[in-house]
Amino acid sequence: LPSHNLSLGPQCIMKPILQFVTLSLLCKVSSGFPPSPSLQHHRQITNINHHVAPPIPRLPPPLHMSKLDDENENDNINKKKKPLGVRRSLFISTSLAIITNLGLLYAAPPGFRRIPIQFIAALPPRASDSKMISSGSNAKEWGLWTADPGPRGVFLHDYETDIRTTTTITNNNNNNNKMAPAGWKFDENDWWLEEHGIIMESPTFPLAVGRYLVTGGRWVTTVLEVEEGGGRWNLRDGTLYDVTHLPCRSARYKPKGGGIGSPSMARRGDFPVKPGAVMPDVDGCDKVDYAVLFVIGVEA
């Protein structure tokens, strides 16, 4: 993590150690590769007029050196037969780098405890750029999924069979509440989609008051504080964009004024959505894009 971000206790000691090991292995890997032809060219001696100096003639080796040359040639051949070792070193160094980042990502600072990942649906303040803001007053418009809604969702191509034709009966009255196979209620007047074209259950609104350890799975892990009354929120470090998980895209859809907008109107060819891109429009619906934040810890 960058030095300006949240200090995470023991990880501040482990981070330089792991990075040193990673860089050492990378240097070892890089030293095994021969210099490129362009680098060899620039190493040639040039005079003041930038003309390449003629190569120094090389005398033929004495006869007693022929055996040594044969041994050197055999050594060079043997060296060329070691790409597997280089690949192994590269794999080890890459793995160490990944482990380093994951260790920093999932470490919990003093006063926090680690939890299974939860997901915040964060709505940037109106007419604002998420790359520039680190606070706002609209946390009441933010929601929380306590479990990953993707695996519990329904693909668009299964909407007709898995949701639209299902109803539940409560108190012997048909309330026409459509249910997903995972058991969550689908509201045809307020529904959600994610980046793979999966219909999701709605998050719980509003986001509760408290302090959350949040990250976007990139470089910034920091504390999000949601204050009582008014929905005020602020990030200790970084911006809302810094703690947004870009591959996760989500949007909320509502039919326009009594219209017929529904998941049936979504174009399946619009999915999957690229990381960081906006969610596609659906005919007959108003759409609001939400950022997705990972919650990896809460106050102890």
Side-chain angles (χ1 to χ4, degrees), residues 148-154 162-163 179-185 199 201:
D148 188 347
R152 293 167 49 82
V154 175
D162 288 357
I163 293 181
M179 301 292 291
W184 52 270
K185 177 184 174 181
I199 306 165
E201 59 191 301

Side-chain angles (χ1 to χ4, degrees), residues 78-292:
N78 290 333
K79 289 179 180 178
K80 293 179 181 178
K81 293 181 179 179
K82 297 180 180 179
L84 182 59
V86 173
R87 291 198 297 268
R88 285 176 177 172
S89 298
L90 184 59
F91 173 78
I92 292 172
S93 61
T94 303
S95 299
L96 284 174
I98 294 173
I99 292 172
T100 300
N101 287 330
L102 287 176
L104 296 177
L105 174 64
Y106 293 112
F112 284 81
R113 60 180 176 86
R114 281 277 292 112
I115 61 171
I117 296 180
Q118 299 181 359
F119 308 85
I120 291 177
L123 180 65
R126 302 293 187 270
S128 64
D129 185 352
S130 64
K131 294 183 179 181
M132 304 297 294
I133 59 172
S134 58
S135 63
S137 58
N138 65 325
K140 290 183 177 180
E141 299 176 285
W142 292 20
L144 178 71
W145 288 286
T146 56
D148 188 347
R152 293 167 49 82
V154 175
F155 277 98
L156 286 170
H157 57 73
D158 293 325
Y159 168 70
E160 296 291 336
T161 57
D162 288 357
I163 293 181
R164 187 176 180 182
T165 59
T166 65
T167 59
T168 59
I169 299 177
T170 304
N171 296 329
N172 297 323
N173 293 319
N174 188 346
N175 292 331
N176 198 31
N177 294 328
K178 296 178 175 61
M179 301 292 291
W184 52 270
K185 177 184 174 181
F186 172 79
D187 185 350
E188 59 187 6
N189 294 313
D190 186 359
W191 48 276
W192 291 70
L193 273 180
E194 56 98 86
E195 71 275 6
H196 295 102
I198 296 177
I199 306 165
M200 302 184 293
E201 59 191 301
S202 298
T204 300
F205 288 97
L207 182 63
V209 172
R211 295 198 305 161
Y212 304 83
L213 190 63
V214 297
T215 183
R218 289 175 289 154
W219 299 109
V220 178
T221 299
T222 190
V223 173
L224 166 68
E225 183 173 1
V226 179
E227 302 176 4
E228 292 187 15
R232 182 76 183 171
W233 63 269
N234 66 81
L235 294 169
R236 180 177 297 179
D237 295 294
T239 66
L240 184 59
Y241 177 82
D242 294 331
V243 293
T244 295
H245 185 59
L246 298 180
C248 286
R249 316 310 302 157
S250 66
R252 187 178 191 176
Y253 296 85
K254 295 181 179 181
K256 294 180 179 179
I260 57 173
S262 75
S264 298
M265 308 294 290
R267 295 179 294 272
R268 299 176 190 174
D270 291 339
F271 302 91
V273 178
K274 294 181 179 179
V278 298
M279 289 288 288
D281 292 324
V282 173
D283 290 342
C285 290
D286 292 318
K287 181 202 69 167
V288 178
D289 282 272
Y290 282 73
V292 177

Side-chain angles (χ1 to χ4, degrees), residues 12-25:
C12 295
I13 299 175
M14 293 303 299
K15 177 180 179 181
I17 295 175
L18 291 173
Q19 287 182 339
F20 173 77
V21 174
T22 301
L23 290 175
S24 298
L25 288 172

